Amino acid sequence: MNSAIPSQKKSLRFHARSFVAFTLSPEAPLEKWLGDLDRWTENSPGFFAGRPVLLDLSILKPAGDEIIARLVSQLATRGIRVYAIEAGDRQTLGPDLPPLLKGAKPVVIDEPHATGESKSKASALSEESADTRSLIIRSPIRSGQSILHQHGDVIVMGSVGYGSEIIAAGSIHVYGTLRGRAFAGSAGNSEARIFCSRNEAELLAVDGWYMTADEMEPATRGRPAQSFLDNGVIRVAPLD
Amino acid sequence: MAKVLVVTSGKGGVGKTTSTAALGAALAQTGKRVAVIDFDVGLRNLDLVMGAERRVVFDLINVTQGVAKLSQALIRDKRVDTLFLLPASQTRDKDALTEEGVARVIEELREKFDYVLCDSPAGIERGAQLAMRFADEAVIVTNPEVSSVRDSDRIIGLLDSRTLRAEHGQNITKYILVTRYDAARAARGEMLNIDDVLDILSTPLLGIIPESEGVLRASNVGSPVTLNEPTNAAARAYIDAARRLEGEDVPIVLPVHRRGLLDRMFGRRAA
């Protein structure tokens, strides 16, 4: 446009948006941490695809921008795009790096676990979506498949294989054997539950709180079970 | 028009190549015209197992690139004259395979044969995906052991999403072929049992091949076990599996552990 045209006074509108971002908190030694991350993503390929990821450097405290730049590119080669960086006490970052983020509030923090990946959630005002249709899956879910349903429940008529995952905003119902991972209430719903007619799950999570197969009571394995939050603590209980 | 089958597994060393050769030979023995293709470019083995390694002139890559005609590259088996082998290249790698090239070769084979068996390389990368790309049916070779079963599950997922038939919304018929089944170890509970395997994979069973030294002997002399020792238990299991592929209703029997005299006298061995 031509600058000779007098600018019309048009009021600008700013919208506030909040969203849930996954935070990666790398720890030294970096090689080991990346190895752990690779092992984790191997089980859940495409987990980070299209999801906002923050890089929290408050644990690693890298000495210079080159180290951060290398880390960002190492994550990029793994298909993880860093939206912003939380750098603790640092005030500035180099111009080639993702923007510096301040003031993100973790709401639910999972205890750092042997998986080498700690997830935390930035504050989210989850808007109630009108679209809460269930997703019904009639075929078995195979190893390496990832089912993401951002509204409502996921109902699986068959089994869910080892090394596969289901992520649902609502509850998850599996009428076969659940052998993979299930994340219910993924967008912040503490009322969500996971039901399965046989619990062989690698991991069950509700609203960001999770329990691995190792931590589950043997009495809940190999039989109908459900998983839910009980006063903020994840529980797995037999159904029958 | 031929039926195109892919013999695949995900995991290596479970018996894809052995099974391709044995099933191919068993089908050819019934008079069907059978072509077996080695897709394991760079690590060719099928020619060895079939005893044709000294007669390889042209290979799959040459044909896909138009350097050789299909008729020049196909090697006729010396024992069964309706069995043909299209060998893999040893000097190239899997990047030399193109989807268009493979499509052309499979199309040409479809016109000339009753069965085309594609011996897939291990893994889930390009080579394995091209081997399954044009298949109508799939034989998933699995050992009764967790890692093999999990990899087979992954491969079934790929068969249901990455094959041409799947992309056109058609069904691809899948069968599980359990190989290296050791009845003695199964009796001791050291292996997954067949029901668990089928439950995890929720796919019909084509056959159970017992662990047998005859299979190894046959591979070493370069002859499919169904030709080398047709009375061997593993060979008979392959022949039955081939009949099931033809649509015959052959009951599947679980191989049992024959206990020797001493075993019977002393009861269970202290494993």
Side-chain angles (χ1 to χ4, degrees), chain B residues 23-36:
Chain B
L23 286 175
L27 285 166
Q29 276 179 299
T30 65
K32 291 282 190 292
R33 288 177 59 82
V34 179
V36 292

Side-chain angles (χ1 to χ4, degrees), chain A residues 125-198:
Chain A
L125 294 168
S126 67
E127 289 167 38
E128 271 306 309
S129 169
D131 185 9
T132 53
R133 272 174 298 182
S134 303
L135 175 68
I136 300 181
I137 298 163
R138 290 177 181 81
S139 53
I141 297 175
R142 304 291 182 183
S143 176
Q145 287 182 327
S146 176
I147 307 291
L148 175 63
H149 187 53
Q150 283 165 321
H151 314 283
D153 296 359
V154 171
I155 298 162
V156 185
M157 312 286 283
S159 292
V160 178
Y162 295 112
S164 65
E165 63 177 13
I166 303 175
I167 302 156
S171 297
I172 296 170
H173 311 254
V174 179
Y175 287 91
T177 308
L178 172 54
R179 299 188 174 91
R181 304 151 159 253
F183 301 81
S186 64
N189 176 1
S190 56
E191 294 298 306
R193 286 182 184 228
I194 302 166
F195 303 91
C196 57
S197 38
R198 194 168 147 203

Side-chain angles (χ1 to χ4, degrees), chain A residues 37-126:
Chain A
L37 180 70
D38 285 341
R39 262 193 303 287
W40 194 84
T41 47
E42 202 177 301
N43 287 327
S44 316
F47 185 82
F48 290 106
R51 291 191 188 171
V53 173
L54 302 182
L55 198 54
D56 178 2
L57 299 177
S58 58
I59 299 173
L60 189 67
K61 292 195 178 45
D65 281 0
E66 316 81 61
I67 300 174
I68 305 177
R70 186 149 18 98
L71 180 61
V72 169
S73 72
Q74 278 169 326
L75 290 172
T77 59
R78 288 163 171 82
I80 301 171
R81 234 184 113 196
V82 176
Y83 273 48
I85 294 179
E86 286 187 284
D89 46 357
R90 286 178 71 122
Q91 295 303 313
T92 52
L93 281 176
D96 300 335
L97 289 168
L100 193 65
L101 181 75
K102 290 209 177 286
K105 285 175 242 158
V107 167
V108 184
I109 305 170
D110 295 337
E111 54 200 86
H113 240 279
T115 51
E117 193 262 5
S118 70
K119 272 182 288 176
S120 67
K121 275 198 211 155
S123 67
L125 294 168
S126 67

